[in-house]
Amino acid sequence: MTDGTPSTYGTQRKAAARNRVAIIEAAHDLFADNPLVPLSEVAKRAGVGAGTLYRHFPTREDLILAAYQHDIERLTVAADEVLARHSSAKAAFIEWFETLSAYIRIKHGLGDALHSAATQELISASWAPTTAAVAKLVDACVAEGTIAPGHDPADIIMLMSFLWRVANNEEGVTQGRRLIAAVFSGLKDAPQPI
């Protein structure tokens, strides 16, 4: 039993936070391979007991949503890092969107739950930071000359959404790269009103 001192409480909170992150990271890895993986496998990979997992995430949907949110948050703040790592803004743009598509595939484990209010709220909340990250990538591509000025980042997200629909295998990667090349061909021209 705890003695109730602040340091003991603080230690327990840190351990709980570490456990939560370990569970989310294990879920990310396992759901990417198999959205139907048993939660007992997630707990085992995270190094926690089933009770700890269910205290943090009472339902499978709660865990999938948390993994998805964690991935999207991590990706939206990584735009600057991806740009700094690449000598080409276009290469950074491609890597960022390929990573986004891999994260979005986690949603497929939700099935019918994708239409739940919690899922829709999470997707809506992630839209503004995702659009801001894409704006950084687009601005860098405009400065580089690989994208014409004037393209709306939200439109580009919609345009690039094909990436999370291609097959999750080598053929899908190849098809995605062909489609990305077609997208960049179109983005070299200024947007035209219809």
Side-chain angles (χ1 to χ4, degrees):
M1 233 173 141
T2 176
D3 63 7
T5 64
S7 63
T8 302
Y9 179 71
T11 302
Q12 290 171 340
R13 286 183 55 124
K14 287 178 186 175
R18 275 193 310 272
N19 287 342
R20 187 175 198 287
V21 169
I23 293 166
I24 289 171
E25 289 176 356
H28 165 79
D29 294 343
L30 292 170
F31 289 152
D33 292 336
N34 175 11
L36 302 176
V37 68
L39 294 185
S40 60
E41 286 297 311
V42 175
K44 182 178 177 183
R45 171 81 63 95
V48 300
T52 299
L53 184 144
Y54 285 108
R55 256 192 312 284
H56 288 282
F57 306 102
T59 69
R60 178 180 206 80
E61 179 183 345
D62 292 334
L63 180 54
I64 294 172
L65 285 171
Y68 173 71
Q69 181 178 21
H70 179 73
D71 289 342
I72 296 299
E73 287 172 356
R74 185 169 44 187
L75 184 63
T76 57
V77 299
D80 290 325
E81 183 270 324
V82 173
L83 283 165
R85 194 165 13 93
H86 288 279
S87 59
S88 159
K90 180 179 177 180
F93 179 102
I94 291 168
E95 178 189 321
W96 192 90
F97 269 101
E98 287 178 339
T99 305
L100 174 66
S101 69
Y103 289 166
I104 287 176
R105 284 189 186 109
I106 290 174
K107 291 191 313 184
H108 294 281
L110 287 173
D112 292 336
L114 275 173
H115 303 290
S116 74
T119 304
Q120 294 308 311
E121 184 177 314
L122 174 60
I123 291 169
S124 295
S126 67
W127 186 253
T130 301
T131 303
V134 171
K136 289 180 182 183
L137 294 162
V138 169
D139 289 346
C141 286
V142 168
E144 179 181 78
T146 51
I147 294 179
H151 289 285
D152 185 322
D155 291 347
I156 291 176
I157 293 170
M158 297 301 289
L159 183 62
M160 296 298 289
S161 69
F162 70 84
L163 278 173
W164 40 94
R165 290 177 176 80
V166 298
N168 194 17
N169 56 32
E170 284 302 313
E171 291 85 18
V173 169
T174 302
Q175 181 184 34
R177 294 280 167 91
R178 282 194 316 268
L179 292 168
I180 288 169
V183 166
F184 270 94
S185 291
L187 291 175
K188 285 182 180 179
D189 296 326
Q192 299 295 318
I194 296 183

